[in-house]
Structures are given as C-alpha cells and as structure tokens.
Amino acid sequence: MQNDYFLPQNVCNILLNNNLISDEQFKEILEKKDNLKLKLEKKGSSITIIDIIVSLNLYRSDNTKLQLDEDIIYQTLAKEWDIKYKKIDPLKLHLGLVTSTIPRSFAMKHKVLPIAKNNGSLIIATSNPFNIEVFEDISRACQLKVEPVLSSKSDITKLINEFFGFKHSIAEAEIQFSAPSIDLGNLEQYIKLKSLDELPSNDQHVVKAVNHLLTYAFDQRASDVHIEPKRDISLVRMRIDGVLHTIYEIPKKLHTPILSRIKNMSRLDMAEKRKPQDGRIKTDKGGIEIEIRVSTVPVAFGEKVVMRIMDPDILFQDLEKLGFSSTDLIRYNRIISMPHGMILVCGPTGSGKSTTLYSSLSYLSSPEINITTVEDPIEMINESFNQIAVQPAVGVTFGTILRNILRQDPDIIMIGEMRDLETAENAIQAALTGHLVLSSLHTNDAPSSITRLLNIGIAPFLIQATLCGVVAQRLLRKICNYCRDSFTMDTSELKAMSIEVNTNNSNVKLYKGKGCTRCRGTGYIGRTAIFEVLPYVESIRKMTSFDMDLESIRDQSKKEGMITLRENATQKMLSGITTYEEVLRVTVT
C-alpha cells in the first residue's frame, strides 16, 4: 500500500495538478522512466520516480526560470499527503542525537535521520513517511514516540554520510588519544606531557575528521572556519554570509591532533605553540582549485586556528558584478584607467577589499602589462600577476620590498595594506615615478582616508601629486529570492531611522525575506557590496592640508557627486536587493 503513493502515475498527477509540470513533461517522464531507472540503478542505489524526475533537469511549468528540483517535489507531495515537510538545516542538527540514536547502516538502508527531540517525541526525517514498520522499530529501540517528517532523499543521504563519517573519525581518534596529556596552551591546567610523536597529524581518523570539516564548510558556503579551544571542549564555528554559527563541539583531547593536522597541511611549525603563525592550504572544491588561509594564535585554553576560504569565483569577478551603481562604476573605471598615481580601497576587515583589488587587477591585466603585488600573506595565487609575500623574519616588509620592485619594471603595483609611514612613502614614490599603485587602507569612509594619510605623516603636496581616487566599501546580505516578499513602509518611519528616501509618496515599497528552507529561515542568501567612490578632483586637492577639516571634505565630496555608503545601501534597499535592517546594520549617516 505504501508503494502506491510513489507510483509514477500518482506522483506525476500531483505535480501536474500543482502546475509544476506541463502535459508534455508528464508524457516525457512516463516515456523515459524505465530507461532512466536502469541507468540510475547501475550506480548502486534504489531509485524512485522522484529520482528519475530530478535527473531530467526539467524547469517548472509555473515558473520557467526555476528548476524542478528535489525539494519542491517533496514539498508538494508533503502538502498533498498532509504530512509535514522539513528542509533539514545541518547547522541546527546535534551531532550526538543524529549519530547515537540509530546505527548508520539502518539509517542509510531506510533513509531515516533523527533530527530533534520535542516533548518526548523523536522527530525523524524520512524520504518515505509510509514505512510504518521502520518507525515502530525506532520507537521500540529508543523508547520514544516517533514523529516522521518528509525530507528529500539526497539531503538525508548526504547528512548521514557527513555526520556519521565525522562522528566515526572523532570517536576513533578519541580512543587513540585517550591517554592523559598536558595542554601547554591551557593556562589553567598542568598534566603529564605527551611528546609530539604521540600526536601524529597523519592519523587516518584525524585526517578524515579535518577533511569532513573542510567539505562541510564548502557545502555551507562558509568564508571562515574557527576551531576554538575552551576549558573542556573545542568549538568549531563557521562564518556564513558574515554571521558565525556553532557547528560542532569536539572533545578537548582531539584539539591538538586536529590542530597538528591543519598545521601539517599548511606547512606551519607544529612544535611552535607560543607564537602566532600564518600558512596556506591549496585544495579542490568541485573541480576548482581554492586556497585556504590558515592563522593560529595562542589563547587562554590553547591554540586557536582560523581558516579563511579564498574562493576564486568570489575573489576574481567582473567589476560589473561587484555591486557598483552604474554611476559609480563609470567613475571607478575612470580612476583605475589612469596611467599612474595611487588608488586606495578602504573599509574594515571583512568588507570585501581584497575582492575589489583582485577583480580590478584582473580587469587591468593583459600580456602588455607587468603587474606586481606585495601581500601579507598572498591571498590567492594568480599566474597573471607577480606576487610577493611579505616575510618580516628575513627583512622582506611592505616598505623594504617596494624599493626592489621598482627595479622589476612594473606597470601596476598592488600593496596589500598601507600600514605605516615607510610603506606609504615608498608607495607614493612609486606613483611619482610613473606607476599605478593600488592599496587598501583601514578607514570608515572615503574622505577620511585623506586625513589618515596625513596622520601617518605624508606631506599634503605628495598626496596632491599622487592620489587618483578612493573607494570605501561594505558588504550587505542579500534578500533570499525564494521567499522574497514586499510590504509598504511609511517614509517618516525610515526618516526617523536616518534613512532618507527621495520620493513624494508617503509610503514606499520595500522587500524582505520571510524565511524559508533555502535560507535557513534567515531571509538572506549571499552578499553584495556597496561602494563610496571619491575621485580626487581639483577642489578636494586644494583643500588637502595638515589643518584640513574632515567635514568640509565630506561636504565637498558630496557636491562633486560622491554617493555615500548609506545612499548606495538605501538604493539597494529600494531595489529589493537588501532590507532596511541591513542598511542600518552596515552603514552610518
């Protein structure tokens, strides 16, 4: 009886009645199902009509821009069968509950996954909610009432592999490293010291655990992975769309082996635990080579490691896709097309400065141009550039290397960060001698970068002679396209929050994400940049002096047409790209 629900004719009728497939697609599915089933079964798993439909890569009849994917099929079936549908959010799953409730072989065979406990009931995600015998077996084994929810088969299979694989690796490694040892990094403990030879970084279970962490980070679109030692455990957190999420709690005794494995992969000194270290890992993500920047630092309970994932698809983009308004893009293209001079990209850490600099260099790159970069560290290797890593231990600093670079016949020089007077002076010297110099600076907006240069000791006449323009930027979260909804808001409310909207209407149409399975209920997916482009024009050049007034520079910049970060963010809000909450979170008036 339970199989009747999954008969091809029945499933296709439900999709047809909900306008997800057309009559032609209905016929195509039924005609091709037998051949496709044979092909798919050769890959070694039981195949349902849903797998066959997904393999056809059809587009929805009600919206031809959207693909008929597995999630929408299961969601529609759940509604038809009056069963709760659940898009599993791996960030909200508890490792212990998932892996300790039922055996892996049972979970994989029946495609069931424990995802939560609620009021004495065990919530089980399943791709077959009519498999009553399986739920009765689980209920008897766990002494809990079972509540099934429908989820996609691929999600369940993937999470079984990921969670049970990571759990197995951690459990096996925990057994291996169960003997007491000293944690020198923990300022509160003193136990018998275990030698480094007893903590191998190449142990297969530790290797698998680290591989699971990295694969999971790639799947979740994480930009950073934090492994933080606490008194009794180690926390694994991941930054997704600019927000940190706690992913795992791992036993403290495994912190050192995992850290040693990461150090080994990134060629760091495994014996050095008292000093911060920086390294890099090159690996593969879906056929694309990506780099992971590794940073370790001693904290109260041991060594903390942060792995920043440098994705070339994000770092090297077309300038048109970065988030510039049409006016600002014209201005920025004009600035970076200058034959010589200095261009500054400003903003706090994590505001996307590296992406703007790399994308700009990629835009300018050609066989006729020699591009040389000085970075600390090199964030992403690109064969089109000659990239130099700063190494203070051997005297290679931003300031010293710039003197040597000028003998390397560069056309364009990129300096990772303008930190001090020596670096700034050498950058200006390069700009004065006919080179185009790009660099980053930590300031809050574009006009204040001029005062920052003055504060570190650069003479006004040198700024006047070299500066071409300044770009300040921030990153805003984008509204999820799958649950985007409109609403109206009174302009007086926005004005009270210092958001100025140029309209004669008392109400304005805005957008927000209601929260759905795709965005994990946040209403946001991905990020976009906002910019403040300031060409260093004659009127501002004349105002540059040691006693210049920053507010006067800001006012003059606006008179010259500079669109502020808040104004650009407001425009993105009105265009339905982001929300007013993001505008307030990221920008100031």
Side-chain angles (χ1 to χ4, degrees):
M1 179 67 182
Q2 67 183 35
N3 291 330
D4 291 349
Y5 287 97
F6 288 95
L7 287 173
Q9 190 86 19
N10 291 346
V11 171
C12 288
N13 275 328
I14 292 171
L15 298 180
L16 184 66
N17 293 338
N18 283 273
N19 200 25
L20 288 177
I21 60 172
S22 62
D23 291 324
E24 292 76 14
Q25 289 171 324
F26 183 99
K27 293 175 185 175
E28 181 186 0
I29 293 166
L30 295 182
E31 285 173 4
K32 294 182 177 180
K33 64 180 176 63
D34 293 330
N35 288 334
L36 284 171
K37 186 175 182 181
L38 288 172
K39 287 181 182 178
L40 293 171
E41 282 178 342
K42 287 179 182 178
K43 296 180 180 179
S45 62
S46 58
I47 301 303
T48 67
I49 184 60
I50 299 169
D51 301 313
I52 292 167
I53 295 170
V54 171
S55 72
L56 286 168
N57 296 318
L58 302 173
Y59 284 88
R60 290 168 54 169
S61 180
D62 62 340
N63 188 342
T64 54
K65 292 181 180 179
L66 298 177
Q67 204 159 25
L68 184 63
D69 59 22
E70 195 178 12
D71 284 322
I72 191 63
I73 295 173
Y74 275 104
Q75 206 169 343
T76 305
L77 293 176
K79 186 178 179 181
E80 185 74 22
W81 295 334
D82 196 23
I83 295 170
K84 186 178 179 181
Y85 173 78
K86 178 72 175 176
K87 175 67 176 175
I88 308 171
D89 183 355
L91 301 183
K92 294 179 181 176
L93 294 183
H94 189 274
L95 180 66
L97 175 67
V98 172
T99 57
S100 303
T101 309
I102 56 177
R104 177 176 183 162
S105 56
F106 185 91
M108 187 60 81
K109 179 181 178 181
H110 299 291
K111 298 296 182 289
V112 289
L113 189 73
I115 58 173
K117 281 184 181 178
N118 186 24
N119 296 327
S121 296
L122 183 66
I123 313 299
I124 296 285
T126 177
S127 60
N128 183 0
F130 308 107
N131 208 340
I132 307 302
E133 290 179 6
V134 170
F135 304 137
E136 288 175 349
D137 289 342
I138 296 172
S139 181
R140 281 193 296 269
C142 302
Q143 296 297 302
L144 290 169
K145 180 185 174 185
V146 170
E147 290 184 16
V149 294
L150 188 62
S151 297
S152 71
K153 187 167 84 171
S154 62
D155 276 358
I156 293 170
T157 303
K158 184 178 180 183
L159 288 168
I160 289 172
N161 285 327
E162 285 182 356
F163 276 76
F164 279 93
F166 183 74
K167 175 70 173 179
H168 175 73
S169 300
I170 290 294
E172 291 297 321
E174 190 175 4
I175 292 169
Q176 183 169 354
F177 301 114
S178 59
S181 64
I182 187 169
D183 185 354
L184 280 179
N186 189 333
L187 303 181
E188 295 189 335
Q189 296 183 22
Y190 188 85
I191 316 171
K192 182 179 177 294
L193 178 63
K194 199 171 192 180
S195 70
L196 280 172
D197 294 334
E198 292 177 85
L199 299 173
S201 63
N202 60 350
D203 175 76
Q204 60 171 330
H205 303 301
V206 175
V207 170
K208 286 180 181 177
V210 173
N211 287 348
H212 274 296
L213 280 180
L214 293 178
T215 303
Y216 192 72
F218 298 156
D219 289 342
Q220 300 304 316
R221 300 179 295 105
S223 60
D224 301 85
V225 179
H226 295 235
I227 303 178
E228 306 172 356
K230 304 300 179 185
R231 182 179 288 107
D232 303 313
I233 59 165
S234 279
L235 279 184
V236 178
R237 301 200 290 169
M238 295 183 186
R239 189 177 296 280
I240 302 167
D241 290 339
V243 179
L244 273 174
H245 300 266
T246 299
I247 306 297
Y248 298 125
E249 292 180 1
I250 58 178
K252 185 64 182 294
K253 66 186 74 171
L254 295 184
H255 181 79
T256 300
I258 286 174
L259 195 69
S260 295
R261 171 59 183 166
I262 293 168
K263 283 184 172 181
N264 181 266
M265 292 169 71
S266 52
R267 299 178 184 177
L268 298 180
D269 184 353
M270 289 196 288
E272 181 56 73
K273 299 177 183 293
R274 299 166 300 170
K275 295 179 182 177
Q277 295 188 74
D278 292 302
R280 63 194 317 110
I281 300 168
K282 197 169 184 106
T283 186
D284 174 87
K285 184 186 97 171
I288 300 171
E289 281 191 358
I290 68 166
E291 295 198 25
I292 301 170
R293 218 167 77 188
V294 179
S295 171
T296 67
V297 66
V299 293
F301 296 107
E303 274 187 288
K304 178 187 174 184
V305 63
V306 174
M307 295 182 283
R308 170 157 287 187
I309 299 166
M310 316 303 294
D311 191 333
D313 289 339
I314 294 173
L315 275 177
F316 297 98
Q317 299 185 44
D318 293 336
L319 294 180
E320 293 83 3
K321 295 178 181 177
L322 290 180
F324 285 102
S325 67
S326 55
T327 305
D328 281 342
L329 182 60
I330 293 169
R331 286 179 182 151
Y332 186 64
N333 278 328
R334 192 179 299 138
I335 291 170
I336 63 174
S337 298
M338 297 278 189
H340 55 79
M342 185 167 64
I343 301 164
L344 299 176
V345 179
C346 307
T349 302
S351 59
K353 299 188 298 296
S354 295
T355 296
T356 300
L357 286 169
Y358 272 124
S359 299
S360 300
L361 291 179
S362 184
Y363 171 79
L364 295 169
S365 178
S366 74
E368 296 81 27
I369 291 177
N370 176 16
I371 296 176
T372 303
T373 74
V374 188
E375 304 170 64
D376 181 21
I378 297 171
E379 298 202 21
M380 175 64 68
I381 303 293
N382 187 303
E383 292 184 0
S384 302
F385 315 149
N386 298 293
Q387 294 168 282
I388 302 166
V390 168
Q391 301 177 68
V394 293
V396 180
T397 65
F398 280 114
T400 58
I401 197 64
L402 280 170
R403 303 190 199 108
N404 303 95
I405 282 179
L406 295 180
R407 300 190 202 102
Q408 289 288 314
D409 187 31
D411 297 295
I412 298 172
I413 299 169
M414 193 271 273
I415 302 164
E417 188 179 336
M418 204 169 285
R419 296 177 177 173
D420 50 40
L421 178 59
E422 184 187 17
T423 305
E425 285 179 336
N426 282 288
I428 283 173
Q429 188 60 41
L432 284 170
T433 52
H435 304 90
L436 186 65
V437 179
L438 287 82
S439 186
S440 69
L441 200 63
H442 288 280
T443 59
N444 289 326
D445 59 11
S448 59
S449 62
I450 301 171
T451 58
R452 172 78 175 130
L453 290 175
L454 292 166
N455 290 339
I456 63 176
I458 301 299
F461 76 91
L462 289 174
I463 299 173
Q464 293 167 346
T466 56
L467 191 60
C468 297
V470 184
V471 178
Q473 66 179 90
R474 296 289 189 281
L475 292 176
L476 289 169
R477 288 186 292 173
K478 295 194 294 184
I479 296 171
C480 171
N481 284 328
Y482 293 94
C483 62
R484 184 168 169 267
D485 194 21
S486 62
F487 66 100
T488 58
M489 193 168 183
D490 198 304
T491 52
S492 61
E493 290 183 64
L494 291 170
K495 191 170 184 179
M497 294 183 285
S498 301
I499 299 178
E500 295 285 345
V501 179
N502 295 322
T503 177
N504 294 324
N505 300 322
S506 60
N507 290 322
V508 64
K509 188 177 182 181
L510 300 179
Y511 300 85
K512 64 179 178 181
K514 292 186 291 186
C516 67
T517 56
R518 304 271 185 164
C519 61
R520 301 190 183 90
T522 64
Y524 301 99
I525 290 183
R527 291 186 291 176
T528 185
I530 51 169
F531 297 92
E532 190 172 87
V533 181
L534 172 60
Y536 193 58
V537 293
E538 189 61 31
S539 61
I540 299 173
R541 185 175 283 111
K542 288 177 179 177
M543 296 173 69
T544 304
S545 63
F546 280 122
D547 59 351
M548 64 177 276
D549 177 51
L550 181 56
E551 285 305 316
S552 299
I553 291 286
R554 285 198 179 108
D555 291 340
Q556 186 60 39
S557 300
K558 291 175 185 177
K559 287 178 185 176
E560 294 290 348
M562 183 189 80
I563 304 168
T564 65
L565 288 167
R566 170 59 65 91
E567 289 166 347
N568 270 316
T570 301
Q571 193 54 51
K572 277 188 163 53
M573 175 193 75
L574 295 173
S575 301
I577 296 170
T578 193
T579 62
Y580 73 86
E581 290 95 342
E582 278 294 284
V583 174
L584 294 171
R585 183 182 72 87
V586 171
T587 65
V588 294
T589 52

